[in-house]
Amino acid sequence: MTIRFVPHHTALTVGDLDASKSFYGWFGFRLIAEWTKADKSLTIAHLQLDEGWVLELFHYAGDGSQEPPTFTPGNNLPVTGVKHIAFTVDDLAAARAEIVAAGIGEVTEIARGRTLVDYFFVRDPDGMYVEFVNDARGADADNPLILNEAG
């Protein structure tokens, strides 16, 4: 294969566009484009990190009465669909402490996942989880980790 595939964007539908722009702005995303339908029923905002990753935020106008999802990390995983986005950080504990100090959302404790990645989550303004990971596994495409519950 001669084509290189590089992630470009992740699309999220949000309930409060301004709150979401502020929340994701805290992590370094900056607004690069915004489009609003003539009747204001839909706004699409593109926020980008310096490294190029774009969040495409869809906001559909409504009365604001929709409740955020009430789930915890993991309990909706059996349902097909995108579950969360994730950032990688060099120092997981320092990143968690900084996010907690900023008070920008509910933060879980640091845990080790079944695939041996250390992580924590923070909830965005719509109740969606954003994961922060430190992946020190040293991925080797020729020798992937094959894990199971039995050990």
Side-chain angles (χ1 to χ4, degrees), residues 81-143:
V82 175
K83 302 304 167 191
H84 57 263
I85 62 172
F87 294 95
T88 185
V89 295
D90 292 331
D91 186 332
L92 204 57
R96 184 183 182 282
E98 194 169 323
I99 292 167
V100 168
I104 62 167
E106 177 186 340
V107 181
T108 67
E109 296 297 324
I110 294 173
R112 171 148 296 165
R114 291 181 183 104
T115 58
L116 306 180
V117 174
D118 294 334
Y119 68 92
F120 71 89
F121 286 95
V122 62
R123 289 179 69 150
D124 81 356
D126 290 298
M128 293 182 281
Y129 283 94
V130 178
E131 184 177 14
F132 295 83
V133 303
N134 183 282
D135 187 349
R137 296 176 296 181
D140 179 351
D142 294 327
N143 296 298

Coordinates of all heavy atoms in Angstrom, one line a residue, residues 81-143:
G81 N -21.5 1.8 18.2 CA -21.3 3.2 17.9 C -20.1 3.7 18.6 O -19.4 3.1 19.4
V82 N -19.7 5.0 18.3 CA -18.6 5.6 18.9 C -18.8 5.9 20.4 O -19.9 6.4 20.7 CB -18.2 6.9 18.2 CG1 -17.1 7.7 18.8 CG2 -17.9 6.6 16.7
K83 N -17.9 5.6 21.2 CA -18.1 5.8 22.7 C -17.4 6.9 23.3 O -17.8 7.5 24.2 CB -17.6 4.5 23.4 CG -18.4 3.3 22.9 CD -19.9 3.4 23.0 CE -20.6 2.4 22.3 NZ -22.0 2.7 22.2
H84 N -16.2 7.3 22.8 CA -15.4 8.4 23.4 C -14.3 8.7 22.5 O -13.9 7.9 21.6 CB -14.9 8.1 24.8 CG -14.1 6.9 24.9 ND1 -14.6 5.6 25.3 CD2 -12.8 6.7 24.7 CE1 -13.6 4.8 25.3 NE2 -12.5 5.4 24.9
I85 N -13.7 9.9 22.7 CA -12.4 10.2 22.1 C -11.3 10.2 23.2 O -11.6 10.2 24.4 CB -12.5 11.6 21.4 CG1 -12.7 12.7 22.5 CG2 -13.5 11.6 20.3 CD1 -12.6 14.1 21.9
A86 N -10.1 10.1 22.8 CA -9.0 10.0 23.7 C -7.8 10.8 23.3 O -7.5 10.9 22.1 CB -8.6 8.5 23.9
F87 N -7.1 11.4 24.3 CA -5.9 12.0 24.2 C -4.8 11.2 24.8 O -5.0 10.6 25.9 CB -5.9 13.4 24.9 CG -6.8 14.4 24.4 CD1 -8.1 14.5 24.9 CD2 -6.4 15.3 23.4 CE1 -9.0 15.5 24.5 CE2 -7.3 16.2 22.9 CZ -8.6 16.3 23.4
T88 N -3.6 11.2 24.3 CA -2.4 10.6 24.9 C -1.6 11.7 25.6 O -1.5 12.8 25.1 CB -1.6 9.8 24.0 OG1 -0.5 9.1 24.7 CG2 -0.9 10.7 22.9
V89 N -1.1 11.4 26.8 CA -0.3 12.4 27.6 C 0.9 11.6 28.1 O 0.8 10.4 28.4 CB -1.2 13.0 28.7 CG1 -2.3 13.9 28.2 CG2 -1.7 12.0 29.7
D90 N 2.0 12.4 28.4 CA 3.2 11.8 28.9 C 3.1 11.5 30.4 O 3.6 10.5 30.8 CB 4.4 12.7 28.7 CG 4.7 12.9 27.2 OD1 4.5 11.9 26.4 OD2 5.2 14.0 26.8
D91 N 2.4 12.4 31.1 CA 2.3 12.2 32.6 C 0.8 12.2 33.0 O 0.2 13.2 33.1 CB 3.1 13.3 33.3 CG 3.1 13.1 34.8 OD1 2.2 12.5 35.4 OD2 4.1 13.7 35.4
L92 N 0.3 11.0 33.1 CA -1.2 10.8 33.4 C -1.6 11.5 34.7 O -2.6 12.2 34.8 CB -1.5 9.4 33.4 CG -2.9 9.0 33.1 CD1 -3.4 9.5 31.7 CD2 -3.1 7.4 33.1
A93 N -0.8 11.3 35.8 CA -1.2 11.9 37.1 C -1.1 13.4 37.0 O -2.0 14.1 37.6 CB -0.2 11.4 38.1
A94 N -0.1 14.0 36.4 CA 0.0 15.4 36.3 C -1.2 16.0 35.4 O -1.8 17.0 35.8 CB 1.3 15.9 35.6
A95 N -1.6 15.3 34.3 CA -2.7 15.7 33.5 C -4.0 15.7 34.3 O -4.8 16.6 34.2 CB -2.8 14.9 32.2
R96 N -4.2 14.6 35.0 CA -5.4 14.5 35.9 C -5.4 15.6 36.9 O -6.5 16.3 37.1 CB -5.5 13.1 36.5 CG -6.8 12.9 37.3 CD -6.8 11.6 38.0 NE -8.1 11.4 38.7 CZ -8.4 12.0 39.8 NH1 -7.5 12.8 40.5 NH2 -9.6 11.9 40.4
A97 N -4.3 15.9 37.6 CA -4.3 16.9 38.6 C -4.6 18.3 38.0 O -5.4 19.1 38.6 CB -2.9 16.9 39.3
E98 N -4.1 18.6 36.8 CA -4.3 19.8 36.2 C -5.8 20.0 35.8 O -6.4 21.1 36.0 CB -3.4 20.0 35.0 CG -3.4 21.4 34.4 CD -2.3 21.6 33.4 OE1 -1.2 21.0 33.5 OE2 -2.5 22.3 32.4
I99 N -6.4 18.9 35.3 CA -7.8 19.0 34.9 C -8.7 19.1 36.1 O -9.7 19.9 36.1 CB -8.2 17.7 34.1 CG1 -7.5 17.8 32.7 CG2 -9.7 17.6 33.9 CD1 -7.5 16.5 31.9
V100 N -8.4 18.4 37.2 CA -9.2 18.5 38.4 C -9.1 19.9 39.0 O -10.1 20.5 39.3 CB -8.7 17.5 39.5 CG1 -9.2 17.8 40.9 CG2 -9.0 16.1 39.1
A101 N -7.9 20.5 39.0 CA -7.7 21.9 39.5 C -8.4 22.9 38.6 O -8.9 23.9 39.2 CB -6.2 22.2 39.5
A102 N -8.6 22.6 37.3 CA -9.3 23.5 36.4 C -10.8 23.4 36.7 O -11.5 24.4 36.3 CB -9.0 23.2 35.0
G103 N -11.3 22.3 37.2 CA -12.7 22.2 37.5 C -13.6 22.1 36.3 O -14.7 22.6 36.3
I104 N -13.1 21.6 35.2 CA -13.8 21.6 33.9 C -14.8 20.5 33.7 O -15.6 20.5 32.8 CB -12.9 21.8 32.7 CG1 -12.0 20.5 32.6 CG2 -12.1 23.0 32.8 CD1 -11.3 20.5 31.3
G105 N -14.8 19.5 34.6 CA -15.7 18.4 34.5 C -15.4 17.3 35.5 O -14.4 17.3 36.2
E106 N -16.4 16.4 35.6 CA -16.2 15.2 36.5 C -15.1 14.3 36.0 O -15.0 14.0 34.8 CB -17.5 14.4 36.5 CG -17.5 13.2 37.3 CD -18.8 12.4 37.1 OE1 -19.9 13.0 36.7 OE2 -18.8 11.2 37.4
V107 N -14.2 14.0 36.9 CA -13.0 13.2 36.5 C -12.9 11.9 37.3 O -13.2 11.9 38.5 CB -11.7 14.0 36.9 CG1 -10.4 13.3 36.5 CG2 -11.7 15.4 36.2
T108 N -12.6 10.8 36.6 CA -12.5 9.5 37.2 C -11.1 9.3 37.8 O -10.2 10.1 37.5 CB -12.8 8.3 36.3 OG1 -11.8 8.3 35.3 CG2 -14.2 8.5 35.6
E109 N -10.9 8.3 38.6 CA -9.6 7.9 39.0 C -8.8 7.3 37.9 O -9.4 6.8 36.9 CB -9.7 6.9 40.2 CG -10.4 7.5 41.5 CD -9.6 8.7 42.1 OE1 -8.4 8.7 42.1 OE2 -10.3 9.6 42.6
I110 N -7.5 7.3 38.1 CA -6.6 6.6 37.1 C -6.8 5.1 37.3 O -6.8 4.6 38.4 CB -5.2 7.0 37.3 CG1 -5.0 8.5 36.9 CG2 -4.2 6.1 36.4 CD1 -3.6 9.1 37.2
A111 N -6.9 4.4 36.2 CA -7.1 2.9 36.2 C -6.2 2.3 35.2 O -5.7 3.0 34.3 CB -8.5 2.5 36.0
R112 N -6.0 1.0 35.3 CA -5.4 0.2 34.2 C -6.4 -0.6 33.5 O -7.2 -1.4 34.1 CB -4.3 -0.7 34.8 CG -3.8 -1.7 33.7 CD -2.3 -2.1 33.9 NE -1.5 -0.9 33.8 CZ -0.2 -1.0 34.2 NH1 0.3 -2.1 34.7 NH2 0.6 0.1 34.0
G113 N -6.4 -0.5 32.2 CA -7.4 -1.2 31.4 C -7.1 -2.6 31.1 O -5.9 -3.0 31.3
R114 N -8.0 -3.3 30.6 CA -7.8 -4.8 30.3 C -6.7 -5.0 29.2 O -6.1 -6.0 29.1 CB -9.1 -5.4 29.8 CG -10.1 -5.5 31.0 CD -11.4 -6.2 30.5 NE -12.3 -6.2 31.6 CZ -13.4 -5.4 31.6 NH1 -13.6 -4.5 30.7 NH2 -14.2 -5.4 32.6
T115 N -6.5 -3.9 28.4 CA -5.4 -4.0 27.4 C -4.1 -3.4 27.8 O -3.2 -3.1 27.0 CB -5.9 -3.4 26.1 OG1 -6.2 -2.0 26.3 CG2 -7.1 -4.1 25.5
L116 N -4.0 -3.2 29.2 CA -2.8 -2.7 29.8 C -2.4 -1.2 29.5 O -1.3 -0.9 29.6 CB -1.6 -3.6 29.5 CG -1.8 -5.1 29.8 CD1 -0.6 -5.9 29.5 CD2 -2.2 -5.3 31.3
V117 N -3.4 -0.4 29.3 CA -3.2 1.0 29.1 C -3.8 1.7 30.3 O -4.9 1.4 30.7 CB -4.0 1.5 27.8 CG1 -3.9 3.0 27.7 CG2 -3.4 0.8 26.6
D118 N -3.0 2.6 30.9 CA -3.4 3.4 32.0 C -4.2 4.6 31.5 O -3.9 5.2 30.5 CB -2.2 3.9 32.8 CG -1.5 2.8 33.5 OD1 -2.1 1.7 33.7 OD2 -0.2 2.9 33.7
Y119 N -5.3 4.9 32.2 CA -6.3 5.9 31.7 C -7.1 6.5 32.8 O -7.2 6.0 33.9 CB -7.2 5.3 30.7 CG -8.2 4.3 31.3 CD1 -9.4 4.7 31.8 CD2 -7.8 3.0 31.5 CE1 -10.3 3.8 32.4 CE2 -8.7 2.1 32.1 CZ -9.9 2.5 32.6 OH -10.7 1.6 33.2
F120 N -7.7 7.7 32.5 CA -8.8 8.3 33.3 C -9.7 9.0 32.3 O -9.4 9.2 31.1 CB -8.3 9.2 34.4 CG -7.7 10.5 33.9 CD1 -8.5 11.6 33.7 CD2 -6.4 10.6 33.7 CE1 -8.0 12.8 33.3 CE2 -5.8 11.8 33.2 CZ -6.7 12.9 33.0
F121 N -10.9 9.3 32.8 CA -11.9 10.0 31.9 C -12.3 11.3 32.6 O -12.3 11.4 33.8 CB -13.2 9.1 31.8 CG -13.1 7.9 30.9 CD1 -12.8 6.7 31.4 CD2 -13.3 8.1 29.5 CE1 -12.7 5.6 30.6 CE2 -13.2 7.0 28.7 CZ -12.9 5.7 29.2
V122 N -12.8 12.2 31.8 CA -13.4 13.5 32.2 C -14.7 13.6 31.3 O -14.7 13.3 30.2 CB -12.5 14.7 32.1 CG1 -12.1 15.0 30.7 CG2 -13.2 15.9 32.7
R123 N -15.8 14.1 32.0 CA -17.0 14.3 31.2 C -17.0 15.7 30.6 O -16.7 16.7 31.3 CB -18.2 14.1 32.1 CG -18.3 12.6 32.5 CD -19.5 12.4 33.4 NE -20.7 12.6 32.7 CZ -21.9 12.0 32.9 NH1 -21.9 11.1 33.9 NH2 -22.9 12.3 32.3
D124 N -17.5 15.8 29.3 CA -17.6 17.1 28.7 C -19.0 17.7 29.1 O -19.7 17.1 29.8 CB -17.4 17.0 27.2 CG -18.5 16.5 26.4 OD1 -19.6 16.1 27.0 OD2 -18.4 16.4 25.1
P125 N -19.3 18.9 28.6 CA -20.5 19.5 29.0 C -21.8 18.8 28.7 O -22.8 19.0 29.3 CB -20.5 20.9 28.2 CG -19.1 21.2 28.0 CD -18.4 19.8 27.8
D126 N -21.7 17.8 27.7 CA -22.9 17.0 27.3 C -22.9 15.7 28.0 O -23.7 14.8 27.7 CB -22.9 16.9 25.8 CG -23.3 18.2 25.1 OD1 -24.4 18.7 25.4 OD2 -22.5 18.7 24.3
G127 N -21.9 15.4 28.9 CA -21.9 14.2 29.6 C -21.1 13.1 28.9 O -21.1 12.0 29.3
M128 N -20.5 13.4 27.7 CA -19.7 12.4 27.0 C -18.4 12.3 27.6 O -17.8 13.3 28.1 CB -19.6 12.9 25.5 CG -20.9 12.8 24.8 SD -20.7 13.3 23.0 CE -20.6 15.0 23.1
Y129 N -17.8 11.1 27.6 CA -16.5 10.9 28.2 C -15.4 11.2 27.2 O -15.4 10.8 26.1 CB -16.4 9.5 28.7 CG -17.1 9.3 30.0 CD1 -18.4 8.8 30.0 CD2 -16.5 9.6 31.2 CE1 -19.1 8.7 31.2 CE2 -17.2 9.5 32.4 CZ -18.5 9.0 32.4 OH -19.2 8.8 33.6
V130 N -14.3 11.9 27.7 CA -13.1 12.1 27.0 C -12.0 11.3 27.8 O -11.9 11.5 29.0 CB -12.8 13.6 26.9 CG1 -11.4 13.8 26.2 CG2 -13.9 14.3 26.2
E131 N -11.3 10.4 27.2 CA -10.3 9.6 27.8 C -8.9 10.2 27.7 O -8.6 10.8 26.6 CB -10.4 8.2 27.2 CG -9.5 7.2 27.9 CD -9.6 5.8 27.3 OE1 -10.1 5.6 26.2 OE2 -9.1 4.9 28.0
F132 N -8.1 10.0 28.7 CA -6.7 10.4 28.7 C -5.9 9.2 29.0 O -6.2 8.5 30.0 CB -6.5 11.5 29.7 CG -7.2 12.8 29.4 CD1 -8.6 12.9 29.7 CD2 -6.6 13.8 28.6 CE1 -9.3 14.0 29.3 CE2 -7.3 14.9 28.2 CZ -8.6 15.0 28.6
V133 N -4.9 8.9 28.2 CA -4.2 7.6 28.3 C -2.7 7.9 28.3 O -2.2 8.9 27.8 CB -4.5 6.6 27.2 CG1 -6.0 6.3 27.1 CG2 -4.0 7.1 25.8
N134 N -2.0 6.9 28.9 CA -0.6 6.8 28.8 C -0.3 5.4 28.4 O -0.5 4.5 29.2 CB 0.1 7.2 30.1 CG 1.6 7.1 29.9 OD1 2.2 6.1 29.9 ND2 2.3 8.3 29.8
D135 N 0.1 5.2 27.2 CA 0.2 3.9 26.6 C 1.7 3.6 26.6 O 2.4 4.0 25.7 CB -0.4 3.9 25.2 CG -0.4 2.5 24.6 OD1 0.2 1.6 25.2 OD2 -1.1 2.3 23.6
A136 N 2.2 2.8 27.6 CA 3.6 2.5 27.6 C 3.9 1.0 27.2 O 4.8 0.4 27.7 CB 4.1 2.7 29.1
R137 N 3.0 0.5 26.4 CA 3.1 -0.9 26.1 C 4.2 -1.2 25.1 O 4.7 -2.3 24.9 CB 1.8 -1.5 25.5 CG 0.7 -1.5 26.5 CD -0.6 -1.9 25.8 NE -1.0 -0.9 24.8 CZ -2.1 -1.0 24.1 NH1 -2.9 -2.0 24.3 NH2 -2.4 -0.1 23.2
G138 N 4.7 -0.2 24.3 CA 5.7 -0.4 23.3 C 5.2 -1.2 22.2 O 5.7 -2.3 21.9
A139 N 4.1 -0.8 21.5 CA 3.4 -1.5 20.5 C 4.4 -2.1 19.5 O 5.2 -1.4 19.0 CB 2.3 -0.7 19.9
D140 N 4.2 -3.4 19.2 CA 5.0 -4.1 18.2 C 4.0 -4.7 17.2 O 3.4 -5.7 17.6 CB 5.9 -5.1 18.8 CG 6.8 -5.9 17.9 OD1 6.6 -5.8 16.6 OD2 7.6 -6.6 18.4
A141 N 3.9 -4.2 16.0 CA 2.9 -4.8 15.0 C 3.2 -6.2 14.7 O 2.2 -7.0 14.4 CB 2.9 -3.9 13.8
D142 N 4.4 -6.7 14.8 CA 4.7 -8.1 14.6 C 4.4 -9.0 15.7 O 4.4 -10.2 15.6 CB 6.2 -8.2 14.2 CG 6.5 -7.5 12.8 OD1 5.6 -7.5 12.0 OD2 7.6 -7.0 12.7
N143 N 4.3 -8.4 16.9 CA 4.0 -9.2 18.1 C 3.0 -8.5 19.0 O 3.3 -8.0 20.1 CB 5.3 -9.4 18.9 CG 6.4 -10.2 18.2 OD1 6.1 -11.3 17.9 ND2 7.5 -9.5 17.9

